[in-house]
Amino acid sequence: MLDVVYYPISALLWLWHRVFGAFLGADNGFAWALSVVFLVFTVRAVLLWPGLVSARAGRRLERMRPELDKLRRKHGKDPQKLALETQKLQREHGVRPLLGCLPALAQIPVFFGLYHVLRSFNRTGTGLGQLGLTPDQNANTANYVFSATDVQSFLSARLFGAPISVSISSSDTVLASFAQFGGIPSLTTIAAVAIPLMAIACLATHINARFSVRHQAIDPTSAMQSDLMRTLMLWVMPLGSIISGPILPIAILLYWVANNVWTYGQQQLVHFVLEREERTPVSSRSS
């Protein structure tokens, strides 16, 4: 059922690996790492326009906040009437609340699709979703659009000595499957790559959250909820990379870092575009 997600993700990863593998070598760890990074950039580029539309909707929502407050005061005791009037006001201002969730929601299947495809390069584990293959069986089994040769290339690739499909918590069985593909990686080597990526992901998530909070309008009617959301964005979400980092493959940590790099650039671009639109008269924009 989820092949509709797995095949496109693997195809996109395959395409970028062909590009970088042509210059760096098919078995080069940086070729595979860059393939993951540019997979992220490709998906985010597709979502750039919806992200801008969502940001514009957010600005409209800020402008209509005083009218929303009036509706709350007027129909606060009649939730049904309040909902109807709110929807009417949103239509008048061209605000579509669900549209604001689209860019974030669209990334969810990409994340889980990439996670599954990366795990499927090494199916020697016996945990959830693993097939318990022998190292030889695994090395000679295709992975969606990747051939058995591609699987062997992936297993041979190293990023500063660590396979990008392993995590700090990878089992001995999984690590042993790399014996014929560059040797069994040590926990120290894996941690030396994973921990800096976890720290970078944490810091980058915090920086992006600070930018978002700084340009977020404060709703005085829901100060408590706003404070809670700010705390979650600034501190809890960044710590997620530290808490979940040990169980995430290095490639997923690369995904996290790359996603934050793109988010930072997109935030700057969207803010610049919206500020320019705010300063430009409507008549000038349409001419």
Side-chain angles (χ1 to χ4, degrees), residues 54-69 72 89-90 93 95 211-220 230 271 274-275 278:
S54 172
R56 286 188 178 122
R59 286 292 179 95
R60 294 193 198 103
L61 189 60
E62 290 176 20
R63 288 196 293 268
M64 61 183 274
R65 196 178 299 281
E67 296 176 71
L68 283 172
D69 292 339
R72 292 192 188 102
L89 183 63
Q90 288 172 344
H93 285 264
V95 174
F211 183 91
S212 179
V213 166
R214 191 165 64 246
H215 294 89
Q216 195 176 65
I218 299 175
D219 184 358
R230 281 175 170 75
H271 181 68
L274 293 182
E275 288 297 312
E278 291 284 343

Side-chain angles (χ1 to χ4, degrees), residues 54-97:
S54 172
R56 286 188 178 122
R59 286 292 179 95
R60 294 193 198 103
L61 189 60
E62 290 176 20
R63 288 196 293 268
M64 61 183 274
R65 196 178 299 281
E67 296 176 71
L68 283 172
D69 292 339
K70 291 180 182 178
L71 289 178
R72 292 192 188 102
R73 289 193 295 269
K74 184 177 181 181
H75 304 292
K77 296 182 180 180
D78 187 349
Q80 186 175 2
K81 180 68 173 178
L82 177 61
L84 290 173
E85 291 297 323
T86 299
Q87 291 173 5
K88 179 181 177 182
L89 183 63
Q90 288 172 344
R91 285 195 298 270
E92 291 174 354
H93 285 264
V95 174
R96 299 176 183 176

Side-chain angles (χ1 to χ4, degrees), residues 142-156:
N143 179 22
Y144 296 99
V145 303
F146 290 100
S147 66
T149 302
D150 294 326
V151 171
Q152 294 165 23
S153 170
F154 185 88
L155 294 172
S156 300

Side-chain angles (χ1 to χ4, degrees), residues 11-251:
L12 200 51
L13 187 62
W14 178 90
L15 177 63
W16 280 117
H17 178 250
R18 284 295 178 273
V19 173
F20 292 110
F23 295 97
L24 301 174
D27 297 347
N28 187 285
F30 286 97
W32 282 102
L34 286 170
S35 301
V36 173
V37 170
F38 276 79
L39 165 66
V40 177
F41 288 171
T42 303
V43 173
R44 292 300 303 272
V46 171
L47 295 174
L48 180 58
W49 179 253
L52 181 57
V53 173
S54 172
R56 286 188 178 122
R59 286 292 179 95
R60 294 193 198 103
L61 189 60
E62 290 176 20
R63 288 196 293 268
M64 61 183 274
R65 196 178 299 281
E67 296 176 71
L68 283 172
D69 292 339
K70 291 180 182 178
L71 289 178
R72 292 192 188 102
R73 289 193 295 269
K74 184 177 181 181
H75 304 292
K77 296 182 180 180
D78 187 349
Q80 186 175 2
K81 180 68 173 178
L82 177 61
L84 290 173
E85 291 297 323
T86 299
Q87 291 173 5
K88 179 181 177 182
L89 183 63
Q90 288 172 344
R91 285 195 298 270
E92 291 174 354
H93 285 264
V95 174
R96 299 176 183 176
L98 290 178
L99 190 62
C101 304
L102 178 61
L105 291 175
Q107 292 181 62
I108 294 175
V110 175
F111 176 85
F112 286 106
L114 179 60
Y115 181 74
H116 176 78
V117 170
L118 291 172
R119 285 191 74 198
S120 297
F121 276 108
N122 192 335
R123 289 147 292 192
T124 57
T126 56
L128 180 65
Q130 294 290 288
L131 300 179
L133 302 180
T134 66
D136 284 338
Q137 288 174 327
N138 180 68
N140 291 285
T141 302
N143 179 22
Y144 296 99
V145 303
F146 290 100
S147 66
T149 302
D150 294 326
V151 171
Q152 294 165 23
S153 170
F154 185 88
L155 294 172
S156 300
R158 294 288 190 276
L159 188 64
F160 300 110
I164 66 172
S165 63
V166 300
S167 66
I168 293 176
S169 62
S170 290
S171 66
D172 292 339
T173 302
V174 170
L175 297 180
S177 65
F178 290 94
Q180 57 182 312
F181 299 101
I184 300 174
S186 67
L187 177 60
T188 303
T189 301
I190 297 170
V193 178
I195 291 176
L197 287 174
M198 290 160 55
I200 294 171
C202 179
L203 180 61
T205 304
H206 178 75
I207 290 173
N208 286 331
R210 287 185 68 87
F211 183 91
S212 179
V213 166
R214 191 165 64 246
H215 294 89
Q216 195 176 65
I218 299 175
D219 184 358
T221 64
S222 57
M224 185 177 297
Q225 294 92 325
S226 297
D227 289 342
L228 177 60
M229 285 303 300
R230 281 175 170 75
T231 301
L232 289 173
M233 290 176 64
L234 287 171
W235 306 109
V236 178
M237 291 177 63
L239 285 175
S241 61
I242 303 297
I243 296 170
S244 61
I247 65 173
L248 294 177
I250 288 172

